[in-house]
Amino acid sequence: VVESEASARSGNSGLFLIHAPDSIVLADALADVVPPAARADGDPRVHRVLEEINSLRMGFLRAMTLEQLRSGIAAPTAPAKE
């Protein structure tokens, strides 16, 4: 994604994709804006649950492209548990 400020001539500004949406994995696109997994300072059981939630979230984000999100097609299913 490239950000463009408004020019005096065109007045256009915004965020623009530099790759095709079907080649952009959501995990990569959101890496800088999705907060890191919450930390549980204390109970290790809570920490394990939060790690599992983050793992599932990242699995979904790695399994879907920006085009799939935009069009609403091929929503990923839950990743297989290892």
Side-chain angles (χ1 to χ4, degrees):
V1 175
V2 174
E3 183 175 7
S4 172
E5 293 187 22
S7 69
R9 196 169 66 190
S10 71
N12 293 331
S13 67
L15 299 175
F16 301 93
L17 298 177
I18 59 173
H19 295 286
D22 63 348
S23 70
I24 301 171
V25 176
L26 286 180
D28 297 336
L30 299 175
D32 292 330
V33 295
V34 172
R39 301 256 331 133
D41 297 331
D43 192 331
R45 297 171 298 175
V46 173
H47 182 71
R48 282 192 301 273
V49 168
L50 292 175
E51 282 183 335
E52 179 68 18
I53 290 169
N54 185 59
S55 175
L56 290 170
R57 175 182 72 161
M58 292 308 296
F60 280 115
L61 292 176
R62 282 190 293 273
M64 194 170 202
T65 66
L66 188 57
E67 176 61 24
Q68 290 170 312
L69 178 66
R70 185 194 67 77
S71 65
I73 61 169
T77 58
K81 246 186 131 130
E82 297 179 10

